[in-house]
Amino acid sequence: MNLYIHHDIIIPEFPLCTAWLDCPLKGGEKGNFLAVGSMGPSIEIWDLDVIDEVEPCVALGGIESSKTWKNGKKVC
């Protein structure tokens, strides 16, 4: 049995679950996307049509790290 890998995607954490998506994202055309869930605070969606991708095209959820609180108000 032969196995040919078209291209690898290096992800920062070990995936707990994956799901293939063929729906359009951001109002674009349909494509090959992979949703990856891990122990991190967000779900990353990777575009499988882009070779050697460095970052996910969309991250759902997560922690807002650039926001701080001063006097009870959010400051960017």
Side-chain angles (χ1 to χ4, degrees):
M1 182 170 155
N2 293 329
L3 177 65
Y4 175 74
I5 299 174
H6 184 263
H7 58 272
D8 293 335
I9 296 177
I10 308 265
I11 54 177
E13 297 180 30
F14 186 77
L16 296 177
C17 59
T18 59
W20 177 69
L21 307 169
D22 64 345
C23 59
L25 294 178
K26 297 182 182 179
E29 297 180 10
K30 281 188 173 183
N32 293 313
F33 299 100
L34 181 71
V36 178
S38 63
M39 292 298 287
S42 65
I43 297 172
E44 298 175 340
I45 299 180
W46 294 82
D47 188 356
L48 299 178
D49 292 331
V50 177
I51 297 174
D52 296 332
E53 181 133 22
V54 178
E55 294 182 352
C57 60
V58 177
L60 306 173
I63 300 173
E64 294 183 35
S65 61
S66 64
K67 307 283 184 185
T68 59
W69 291 90
K70 286 188 180 178
N71 298 329
K73 295 182 181 178
K74 274 190 180 180
V75 179
C76 293

